[in-house]
Amino acid sequence: MPTQVLMPALSPTMEEGTLAKWLVKEGDAITAGDVIAEIETDKATMEVEAVDEGTLGRILILEGTEGVKVNTPIAMILEDGEDASALDGTTVTGAPAPPDVAESTPPATQTDADQSASPPAAVAAVSRAAPELEIPANTEMIATTVREALRDAMAEEMRRDGDVFIMGEEVAEYQGAYKVTQGLLQEFGPERVIDTPITEHGFAGIGTGAAFAGLKPIVEFMTFNFAMQAIDHIINSAAKTLYMSGGQMGCSMVFRGPNGAAARVAAQHSQDYSSWYAQVPGLKVIAPYSAADAKGLLKSAIRDPNPIIFLENEILYGQSFDVPALDDWLIPIGRAKILRSGDGVTLVSYSRSVAYALEAADALAEEGISAEVIDLRTLRPLDLETVVQSVMKTNRLVTVEEAWPVCSIGTEVCQQVTSRAFDYLDAPPTKVAGANVPMPYAANLEKLALPSVAQVVAAAKAVSYA
Amino acid sequence: MTSANDEAVAPPNQAGSQRSAAAVATNGADSSSQLSHDEELQAYRDMLLIRRFEEKAGQLYGMGYIGGFCHLYIGQEAVVVGMQMALRQGDQLITGYRDHGHMLACGMDPKGVMAELTGRQGGYSRGKGGSMHMFSVEKAFYGGHGIVAAQVPLGAGLAFANRYRKNGQVSLTYFGEGAANQGQVYETFNMASLWKLPVIFIIENNRYAMGTAVARAAAKSEELYARGAAFGIPGEQVDGMDVGTVNAAGERAIAHARAGNGPYILEMMTYRYRGHSMSDPAKYRTREEVQKVREEQDPIERLRTRLLAGGTSEDGLKAVDKEIRAIVNDAAEFSQTNPEPAESELWTDITRDLSA
């Protein structure tokens, strides 16, 4: 049977084109790959190559014909041994032949898929993490700095699983630029505690590749400011591969390091990237405040089979908190924590800003306003359930963060609460955030650029009409 | 032509040694092949599968079954087939977006590949990856990456895992001569050499980075294989249009890396016959240039000539052609009749559960 040559689509958007020129004539022998015609689209002139072998039996669309629809037969190729009688019944046209609908309609690619931002309820329901385990009574609590808690978490997980290793700048011999990896080289050796050159893009990619192969890297960025050099691997390579592979291949790994403002290091070293990463499907994002949370969440992050962004804070590194002396202290990812109960106003925060919220709650109590303080701890997936339950009780919401205010975590929390608990709100949800400017160096200006306890108190009073 | 293997592999400590096979051979020219007759026949079959598969993919694109970006490997078949024959079970491959040939060469099912191109449930990524994003853990194929040169540190990361586990495996990391200008390639060269990672960097120099000829984009474009010299990585330029020559160079490079001597660079001089992607009219080169390469250097024709001269019958090769056409037609048929993914697939594979 003769084979039809169809008008090809030569770009993702082409629907029709002009058959500009035939480069072969009827009776010519054709082999696959021969250029047989030229087609003009609205963008360019393209060559059409033969896919089949044989003899050009008949040209169906004459050259110069405009508006030839994609998939219209333009010629017939005879196989070896066939003669022209096989072509009986075909007609030549100078205009596009009416396309056979059944053949020319490409397979449906448009679906009525739900375009909403969230999965259907049945899918969403499974995303909430298991509740946190109670700390057994009489458990000894040990005052520990955030720095030590992070180190202990890594050391415990490295003892537990030989596939866990850490790489980054100054993590080994220098003992960590901020001493978070102190002692790890001595315990685990240079095969598992690896100093990298200053080459964030490269080592983030190597770490991700190692995770593809099944290892469990902890990639330390000296600060997340430098992770911008590496963000393509974090997002395009680490976060998206599970989805793009249909679930075949992902990466179990942690990108960690200090995030946000330190002190007097100015614009390029003082950015909070929380909302950047929290926006990306495929990542989980954690930003703890206390040492106990830092330890329990980092241990969970290292065991988690997904790429995790673990945002620490340099100012918190040296602060001490009680950490339970348990063999395996794990905190589920995706659970906020109520740090202080109250029924007058809900203060929602994460990372270092939690300190502002707690201090503001003390000040508000003196003025007779009872504030409930929620530490989000995980920024993706967000534990909105805990926040919404609180707002249904207090009817007021203030978010507190050091990040820029535009498209921030606070923005997301305010919007979600507004849409889920609108009828419970007695005042518009309010954000307290960093100033919408690059971080200045001068001490007085830096102070102005960061949120203050006074701002949180003022916002809480404003939504309380007090 | 100057053969690429006319001297032994440089001693591992002789950092940065390079040799060059400057000229690209023409049809019928001597090949440095060490392949047996059976291996050559297998190479012919594997290259033909890629050629016919890609022609069919181009056809299905034209018919609207394949959408978006589609980068065909036609003309470059000898590179991946020659390298694949030098590998051992478990060695890994990773490449960029011109990846169909690599997937077929490592034994992935043509049906699953074609069905991914058409965005169907039976595709390797269940229709969620498409032409540029396919993977097979089973065949140690790690993608399929759409960001130019991203696969280079990722491939070194696979090699890092091999070294960490001391499993004796190597990673083949393919990238184009266009990707060779990305900064992360040199970050990777540095660490791969510093840590002696078992990785072969294969630069598929098909002479055009989209529409930019290599000489317009790369300093010292005639010797990309030498770009590892500053890091102590040996490299050589190889006639990438001859499968036997590719295989011999691959054996040398892989032996070097597997022995613990660190990375190796092979610059494969090759050519793509088609445009960069389907919507590229390829006006940056003449039709005569393309035609000349096809006539004088086509990797399949060269091997066919050699096989016939070596006593393989025309009928024998015709039988291979027929078998390949049937495989490709089956794949095309499957890719058009297999259903699209269920709508519920939109929400799966975003993150994994701990128990999974």
Side-chain angles (χ1 to χ4, degrees):
Chain A
M1 241 187 84
T3 309
Q4 287 183 339
V5 179
L6 302 179
M7 180 75 170
L10 299 170
S11 76
T13 51
M14 174 176 164
E15 290 175 0
E16 62 177 40
T18 299
L19 207 167
K21 194 175 177 190
W22 280 106
L23 300 170
V24 287
K25 58 185 189 301
E26 291 179 2
D28 283 357
I30 288 171
T31 55
D34 286 353
V35 177
I36 57 171
E38 284 182 0
I39 285 175
E40 284 173 17
T41 69
D42 52 347
K43 297 193 185 96
T45 301
M46 305 275 295
E47 292 172 346
V48 179
E49 294 180 1
V51 180
D52 297 290
E53 294 180 351
T55 305
L56 188 70
R58 186 159 297 167
I59 286 171
L60 303 176
I61 303 285
L62 299 177
E63 65 180 38
T65 308
E66 295 178 3
V68 183
K69 300 265 189 259
V70 165
N71 280 337
T72 306
I74 57 174
M76 304 291 282
I77 292 178
L78 294 165
E79 286 179 23
D80 282 354
E82 281 183 334
D83 63 36
S85 66
L87 298 167
D88 288 352
T90 59
T91 52
V92 181
T93 174
D100 178 337
V101 174
E103 272 190 21
S104 68
T105 306
T109 50
Q110 296 291 321
T111 67
D112 296 319
D114 184 356
Q115 297 294 320
S116 68
S118 307
V123 180
V126 301
S127 68
R128 192 146 193 254
E132 189 166 336
L133 294 174
E134 292 288 325
I135 300 172
N138 305 323
T139 300
E140 188 192 354
M141 300 300 278
I142 299 172
T144 310
T145 62
V146 170
R147 173 181 287 118
E148 293 162 339
L150 293 166
R151 190 266 321 274
D152 292 349
M154 288 189 282
E156 287 179 23
E157 293 307 301
M158 288 175 77
R159 281 174 211 133
R160 181 178 171 272
D161 185 346
D163 284 343
V164 179
F165 70 95
I166 178 158
M167 66 193 306
E169 294 154 10
E170 312 289 7
V171 299
E173 297 201 0
Y174 194 88
Q175 304 287 298
Y178 296 99
K179 297 289 177 281
V180 174
T181 52
Q182 187 125 37
L184 295 183
L185 173 67
Q186 285 68 23
E187 182 174 353
F188 299 102
E191 296 286 310
R192 297 181 68 195
V193 184
I194 299 155
D195 277 326
T196 64
I198 303 167
T199 179
E200 284 85 4
H201 195 182
F203 71 69
I206 287 179
T208 305
F212 285 168
L215 296 183
K216 295 179 175 170
I218 303 168
V219 175
E220 176 176 309
F221 292 114
M222 192 180 288
T223 84
F224 263 92
N225 299 287
F226 315 144
M228 269 203 287
Q229 299 255 15
I231 201 163
D232 177 62
H233 279 297
I234 298 173
I235 298 188
N236 274 319
S237 303
K240 295 178 183 172
T241 296
L242 183 69
Y243 196 84
M244 294 193 302
S245 68
Q248 252 196 92
M249 209 175 92
C251 46
S252 175
M253 66 188 304
V254 177
F255 297 98
R256 52 156 288 273
N259 170 62
R264 307 295 306 282
V265 291
Q268 291 178 333
H269 289 69
S270 303
Q271 189 171 340
D272 179 346
Y273 292 88
S274 301
S275 64
W276 284 42
Y277 294 110
Q279 211 242 342
V280 181
L283 293 179
K284 293 184 181 179
V285 183
I286 298 169
Y289 165 63
S290 75
D293 287 350
K295 183 177 181 187
L297 282 164
L298 184 53
K299 280 167 64 73
S300 293
I302 292 167
R303 290 186 202 182
D304 196 275
N306 298 288
I308 310 275
I309 304 293
F310 198 91
L311 302 170
E312 300 158 9
N313 184 284
E314 187 192 327
I315 308 260
L316 292 175
Y317 278 153
Q319 296 188 14
S320 283
F321 298 82
D322 279 347
V323 176
L326 294 169
D327 286 345
D328 206 12
W329 171 240
L330 289 166
I331 293 176
I333 296 167
R335 278 274 172 180
K337 186 175 188 183
I338 298 171
L339 297 184
R340 176 181 176 130
S341 283
D343 55 19
V345 58
T346 300
L347 306 180
V348 174
S349 191
Y350 63 91
S351 190
R352 182 190 170 199
S353 303
V354 171
Y356 303 127
L358 288 170
E359 230 181 289
D362 285 342
L364 289 164
E366 286 175 16
E367 301 192 39
I369 296 173
S370 162
E372 180 147 296
V373 177
I374 296 176
D375 179 359
L376 290 170
R377 305 194 294 186
T378 299
L379 306 180
R380 182 185 183 96
L382 260 182
D383 181 3
L384 285 160
E385 188 62 28
T386 296
V387 178
V388 167
Q389 290 296 329
S390 174
V391 171
M392 287 167 73
K393 179 174 67 176
T394 65
N395 313 112
R396 294 169 173 86
L397 172 65
V398 175
T399 62
V400 188
E401 62 198 326
E402 288 191 337
W404 287 320
V406 179
C407 302
S408 69
I409 297 295
T411 309
E412 177 70 11
V413 170
C414 288
Q415 186 275 328
Q416 293 271 4
V417 168
T418 304
S419 89
R420 293 184 192 210
F422 184 74
D423 291 341
Y424 291 87
L425 286 166
D426 286 347
T430 298
K431 281 192 298 185
V432 176
N436 202 9
V437 298
M439 183 64 73
Y441 168 70
N444 65 325
L445 298 181
E446 183 185 62
K447 202 171 170 195
L448 287 171
L450 291 167
S452 66
V453 174
Q455 283 177 307
V456 181
V457 170
K461 287 166 78 171
V463 298
S464 304
Y465 306 107
Chain B
M1 109 185 232
T2 323
S3 167
N5 68 341
D6 54 8
E7 59 183 272
V9 174
N13 294 332
Q14 192 183 326
S17 72
Q18 305 103 27
R19 279 153 294 119
S20 169
V24 171
T26 54
N27 271 357
D30 184 38
S31 160
S32 62
S33 177
Q34 303 161 345
L35 297 175
S36 68
H37 175 263
D38 283 355
E39 286 170 331
E40 286 197 325
L41 201 58
Q42 183 63 39
Y44 178 79
R45 187 190 170 284
D46 291 350
M47 290 197 291
L48 200 63
L49 174 63
I50 296 173
R51 176 73 54 94
R52 294 287 171 259
F53 182 96
E54 293 289 65
E55 286 165 356
K56 183 62 81 177
Q59 188 183 25
L60 292 180
Y61 192 97
M63 293 162 73
Y65 282 99
I66 298 171
F69 294 128
C70 185
H71 309 91
L72 302 180
Y73 197 65
I74 296 174
Q76 301 179 216
E77 296 91 343
V79 177
V80 73
V81 169
M83 288 305 298
Q84 196 64 25
M85 296 178 88
L87 286 185
R88 269 189 217 158
Q89 182 87 20
D91 291 339
Q92 303 116 327
L93 283 81
I94 190 166
T95 188
Y97 46 75
R98 197 177 303 284
D99 57 353
H100 310 162
H102 303 72
M103 294 188 278
L104 297 173
C106 73
M108 288 168 66
D109 182 355
K111 284 185 182 175
V113 178
M114 196 71 94
E116 188 61 37
L117 298 183
T118 57
R120 305 305 175 102
Q121 181 71 37
Y124 266 94
S125 298
R126 298 217 287 271
K128 300 201 288 197
S131 167
M132 302 184 287
H133 314 111
M134 265 184 265
F135 310 82
S136 170
V137 175
E138 185 199 350
K139 300 290 182 190
F141 178 72
Y142 286 84
H145 294 270
I147 305 296
V148 174
Q151 74 273 24
V152 179
L154 294 171
L158 298 172
F160 178 96
N162 294 337
R163 205 203 56 161
Y164 190 90
R165 292 175 165 142
K166 301 182 171 58
N167 61 14
Q169 291 167 0
V170 302
S171 150
L172 295 195
T173 298
Y174 292 86
F175 53 104
E177 89 290 339
N181 295 319
Q182 287 273 27
Q184 60 183 318
V185 171
Y186 302 94
E187 297 190 29
T188 303
F189 281 2
N190 183 39
M191 285 180 280
S193 182
L194 188 67
W195 298 336
K196 293 216 179 313
L197 301 182
V199 53
I200 323 299
F201 297 112
I202 300 153
I203 304 172
E204 296 196 61
N205 184 351
N206 67 18
R207 297 169 50 183
Y208 296 92
M210 203 168 150
T212 303
V214 60
R216 294 203 300 121
K220 295 203 81 170
S221 61
E222 65 284 358
E223 44 186 68
L224 300 180
Y225 67 92
R227 286 187 165 193
F231 305 96
I233 306 176
E236 56 183 281
Q237 196 172 60
V238 180
D239 174 7
M241 301 298 275
D242 183 87
V243 70
T245 305
V246 168
N247 177 259
E251 296 276 5
R252 283 194 297 280
I254 290 168
H256 174 92
R258 212 188 295 282
N261 300 316
Y264 203 97
I265 296 170
L266 295 176
E267 182 188 5
M268 298 290 181
M269 304 307 287
T270 185
Y271 200 79
R272 72 167 148 74
Y273 298 173
R274 297 294 188 97
H276 162 75
S277 65
M278 295 304 294
S279 51
D280 167 20
K283 293 300 177 202
Y284 41 81
R285 60 186 184 186
T286 62
R287 185 180 297 155
E288 289 69 32
E289 176 184 308
V290 182
Q291 205 51 39
K292 190 170 155 59
V293 176
R294 287 179 105 136
E295 281 168 11
E296 298 178 359
Q297 296 177 38
D298 185 78
I300 296 175
E301 279 308 311
R302 279 167 77 171
L303 185 54
R304 187 183 158 85
T305 304
R306 205 153 64 225
L307 281 166
L308 290 172
T312 309
S313 69
E314 281 275 5
D315 282 353
L317 293 183
K318 265 196 173 155
V320 174
D321 291 1
K322 202 174 163 190
E323 177 209 353
I324 295 297
R325 278 192 189 281
I327 292 170
V328 169
N329 285 337
D330 278 356
E333 170 72 17
F334 178 75
S335 76
Q336 292 166 67
T337 54
N338 189 248
E340 290 186 307
E343 290 189 4
S344 59
E345 282 286 348
L346 181 64
W347 301 106
T348 61
D349 308 322
I350 300 160
T351 52
R352 281 195 286 212
D353 292 337
L354 194 52
S355 53

